Amino acid sequence: MRRPLQGVTRQNLGKELLAGATLLAIAVPLNIGYAQIAGLSPSAGLYALIVPTIVYAVLVSSRQVVASPDAAAAALVFSSLTALHVAGEHFAAMAAAQALLCGLFLIAASVLRLGFLANFLSKPILVGFVAGLALEVLLSQAAKMLGLRLNADEEFFGQIIDLLTRIDDASIISIVLSAAALTVLLLARRFAPKLPGALIVLITATLVTVWLRLDTMGVAVLGEVESGPPQFDFPDVGVSQWLQLVPSALALALITMAEGVLVSRSYAAKRGYPVTADRDLLAFGAANVAAGMSMSFSVGSSTSRTAAMDQIGSRTQVPSLVSAAGAFVLLLVGTDLLAMIPSPVIGAVVAVAVLGVLGIGEVRELLAQSREE
């Protein structure tokens, strides 16, 4: 059995701890944004950084893959629950139940040793499915950057038309804020990828918002974030609703299986250590059960965060554990610092993060290989 801290030495411990601080700086703004995409409170995104992350880091065979909610999963959570006409306070309970079901499916796949199936899941379908979800996320974040609200009763193309017809109502200040944030984020991504660009942008934008009192000029801010550690409870959901959640939970499990196992194998081959697909499925399953029991939502592998940790030299799960500890402290004493974060800038942070899952490169590769695919 793999030790949770395998790969940690006296020589690299300092680097791994610093990587954990960087991971926390990346994860907090992204998880808040993904929670909002999923239709949940910001605290649900922070809860996902604690218990699910610890459970995953202890169980997984990969030394590097980071478990977290991502844009595609968050969009699927929102679209699947709104399709079931879930609303209000019951939304969080349904999202938690969905994560729990997803976790049970993944644990079952691990027990049945189905990790090899990840090799047979259709890449074109997976690329197209995730890209479609990413487009939904980008549309929602575009509205946020313009200072507008999408009509929830409309479908995707109807929302695009609605957004375009209301462009004259957009907030000029929100547009300026988000344009500045996008510029900095893209430049940082291109020329200084090791810098926590999202954190720098959020801190700067928040200070400007407070200084100029932009919240009184029509700029939406995050608002109050519930403080305190995650509360453990079994989702209060009826039997019929559990059954309604099965298709979407299975879809989340399949996405997690395909992406998680492939990313794990990729980095293991790149850095020269063994991994076990079925053990990784067990880790993802247990993490999702933990997410469901701690009122969060589905988690999977985060390609962007894993790449960021690999780029700065991390080769262990220590950064995930440090990030979990930091998120716990933030929930205890630091949520007041989050209230004045401008929503247009959160939209910019999430939009830049989502660009990586649009699959433009993969589509080009598929087009070169087979137009039918």
mmCIF file of all heavy atoms in Angstrom, residues 78 82 85 149-156 158-159 162:
data_model
loop_
_atom_site.group_PDB
_atom_site.id
_atom_site.type_symbol
_atom_site.label_atom_id
_atom_site.label_comp_id
_atom_site.label_asym_id
_atom_site.label_seq_id
_atom_site.Cartn_x
_atom_site.Cartn_y
_atom_site.Cartn_z
ATOM 1 N N PHE A 78 -24.951 21.789 -12.294
ATOM 2 C CA PHE A 78 -25.995 22.814 -12.440
ATOM 3 C C PHE A 78 -27.033 22.419 -13.491
ATOM 4 O O PHE A 78 -28.244 22.495 -13.241
ATOM 5 C CB PHE A 78 -25.361 24.153 -12.815
ATOM 6 C CG PHE A 78 -26.367 25.268 -12.965
ATOM 7 C CD1 PHE A 78 -26.931 25.862 -11.850
ATOM 8 C CD2 PHE A 78 -26.753 25.708 -14.226
ATOM 9 C CE1 PHE A 78 -27.873 26.877 -11.981
ATOM 10 C CE2 PHE A 78 -27.691 26.711 -14.369
ATOM 11 C CZ PHE A 78 -28.251 27.304 -13.238
ATOM 12 N N THR A 82 -30.925 21.642 -12.521
ATOM 13 C CA THR A 82 -31.965 22.554 -13.010
ATOM 14 C C THR A 82 -32.924 21.824 -13.952
ATOM 15 O O THR A 82 -34.112 22.155 -14.007
ATOM 16 C CB THR A 82 -31.350 23.767 -13.737
ATOM 17 O OG1 THR A 82 -30.410 23.311 -14.721
ATOM 18 C CG2 THR A 82 -30.634 24.681 -12.756
ATOM 19 N N HIS A 85 -35.620 20.551 -12.135
ATOM 20 C CA HIS A 85 -36.402 21.630 -11.513
ATOM 21 C C HIS A 85 -36.123 21.744 -10.008
ATOM 22 O O HIS A 85 -37.027 22.012 -9.217
ATOM 23 C CB HIS A 85 -37.901 21.429 -11.750
ATOM 24 C CG HIS A 85 -38.258 21.279 -13.198
ATOM 25 N ND1 HIS A 85 -38.168 22.324 -14.095
ATOM 26 C CD2 HIS A 85 -38.660 20.196 -13.911
ATOM 27 C CE1 HIS A 85 -38.520 21.890 -15.305
ATOM 28 N NE2 HIS A 85 -38.826 20.611 -15.221
ATOM 29 N N ARG A 149 -27.299 39.343 -15.884
ATOM 30 C CA ARG A 149 -27.777 38.039 -15.427
ATOM 31 C C ARG A 149 -28.420 37.308 -16.601
ATOM 32 O O ARG A 149 -29.213 37.886 -17.336
ATOM 33 C CB ARG A 149 -28.800 38.190 -14.295
ATOM 34 C CG ARG A 149 -28.194 38.570 -12.958
ATOM 35 C CD ARG A 149 -29.281 38.628 -11.895
ATOM 36 N NE ARG A 149 -28.735 38.933 -10.588
ATOM 37 C CZ ARG A 149 -28.263 38.026 -9.753
ATOM 38 N NH1 ARG A 149 -28.289 36.748 -10.093
ATOM 39 N NH2 ARG A 149 -27.790 38.381 -8.570
ATOM 40 N N LEU A 150 -28.083 36.024 -16.742
ATOM 41 C CA LEU A 150 -28.694 35.228 -17.796
ATOM 42 C C LEU A 150 -30.112 34.836 -17.401
ATOM 43 O O LEU A 150 -30.424 34.679 -16.218
ATOM 44 C CB LEU A 150 -27.871 33.962 -18.043
ATOM 45 C CG LEU A 150 -26.489 34.147 -18.687
ATOM 46 C CD1 LEU A 150 -25.767 32.813 -18.741
ATOM 47 C CD2 LEU A 150 -26.619 34.722 -20.088
ATOM 48 N N ASN A 151 -30.950 34.672 -18.402
ATOM 49 C CA ASN A 151 -32.312 34.194 -18.180
ATOM 50 C C ASN A 151 -32.262 32.680 -17.991
ATOM 51 O O ASN A 151 -32.003 31.927 -18.938
ATOM 52 C CB ASN A 151 -33.199 34.554 -19.371
ATOM 53 C CG ASN A 151 -34.654 34.191 -19.134
ATOM 54 O OD1 ASN A 151 -34.987 33.502 -18.173
ATOM 55 N ND2 ASN A 151 -35.524 34.652 -20.012
ATOM 56 N N ALA A 152 -32.495 32.218 -16.765
ATOM 57 C CA ALA A 152 -32.364 30.798 -16.440
ATOM 58 C C ALA A 152 -33.402 29.939 -17.159
ATOM 59 O O ALA A 152 -33.227 28.717 -17.271
ATOM 60 C CB ALA A 152 -32.487 30.601 -14.930
ATOM 61 N N ASP A 153 -34.471 30.551 -17.660
ATOM 62 C CA ASP A 153 -35.529 29.793 -18.335
ATOM 63 C C ASP A 153 -35.179 29.472 -19.785
ATOM 64 O O ASP A 153 -35.860 28.667 -20.426
ATOM 65 C CB ASP A 153 -36.853 30.576 -18.299
ATOM 66 C CG ASP A 153 -37.375 30.756 -16.878
ATOM 67 O OD1 ASP A 153 -37.119 29.863 -16.049
ATOM 68 O OD2 ASP A 153 -38.019 31.788 -16.607
ATOM 69 N N GLU A 154 -34.118 30.115 -20.301
ATOM 70 C CA GLU A 154 -33.722 29.910 -21.693
ATOM 71 C C GLU A 154 -32.683 28.795 -21.800
ATOM 72 O O GLU A 154 -31.925 28.541 -20.874
ATOM 73 C CB GLU A 154 -33.129 31.198 -22.272
ATOM 74 C CG GLU A 154 -34.103 32.353 -22.367
ATOM 75 C CD GLU A 154 -35.028 32.228 -23.566
ATOM 76 O OE1 GLU A 154 -34.841 31.289 -24.371
ATOM 77 O OE2 GLU A 154 -35.933 33.062 -23.693
ATOM 78 N N GLU A 155 -32.645 28.138 -22.964
ATOM 79 C CA GLU A 155 -31.588 27.184 -23.257
ATOM 80 C C GLU A 155 -30.347 27.949 -23.722
ATOM 81 O O GLU A 155 -30.354 29.174 -23.818
ATOM 82 C CB GLU A 155 -32.051 26.197 -24.334
ATOM 83 C CG GLU A 155 -33.228 25.336 -23.919
ATOM 84 C CD GLU A 155 -32.894 24.397 -22.773
ATOM 85 O OE1 GLU A 155 -31.710 24.035 -22.642
ATOM 86 O OE2 GLU A 155 -33.804 24.037 -22.010
ATOM 87 N N PHE A 156 -29.284 27.202 -24.045
ATOM 88 C CA PHE A 156 -27.980 27.796 -24.344
ATOM 89 C C PHE A 156 -28.065 28.876 -25.426
ATOM 90 O O PHE A 156 -27.649 30.017 -25.217
ATOM 91 C CB PHE A 156 -27.002 26.695 -24.765
ATOM 92 C CG PHE A 156 -25.633 27.195 -25.146
ATOM 93 C CD1 PHE A 156 -24.732 27.596 -24.181
ATOM 94 C CD2 PHE A 156 -25.252 27.272 -26.478
ATOM 95 C CE1 PHE A 156 -23.462 28.051 -24.521
ATOM 96 C CE2 PHE A 156 -23.994 27.724 -26.826
ATOM 97 C CZ PHE A 156 -23.100 28.115 -25.849
ATOM 98 N N GLY A 158 -30.670 30.359 -26.670
ATOM 99 C CA GLY A 158 -31.580 31.420 -26.254
ATOM 100 C C GLY A 158 -30.902 32.396 -25.315
ATOM 101 O O GLY A 158 -31.142 33.614 -25.386
ATOM 102 N N GLN A 159 -30.030 31.880 -24.458
ATOM 103 C CA GLN A 159 -29.291 32.746 -23.542
ATOM 104 C C GLN A 159 -28.292 33.622 -24.291
ATOM 105 O O GLN A 159 -28.068 34.773 -23.921
ATOM 106 C CB GLN A 159 -28.576 31.899 -22.488
ATOM 107 C CG GLN A 159 -29.515 31.271 -21.468
ATOM 108 C CD GLN A 159 -28.775 30.485 -20.418
ATOM 109 O OE1 GLN A 159 -27.678 29.980 -20.648
ATOM 110 N NE2 GLN A 159 -29.366 30.364 -19.244
ATOM 111 N N ASP A 162 -30.320 36.335 -25.793
ATOM 112 C CA ASP A 162 -30.753 37.231 -24.716
ATOM 113 C C ASP A 162 -29.610 38.143 -24.271
ATOM 114 O O ASP A 162 -29.800 39.347 -24.059
ATOM 115 C CB ASP A 162 -31.256 36.396 -23.538
ATOM 116 C CG ASP A 162 -31.699 37.253 -22.363
ATOM 117 O OD1 ASP A 162 -32.589 38.109 -22.548
ATOM 118 O OD2 ASP A 162 -31.152 37.083 -21.256
#
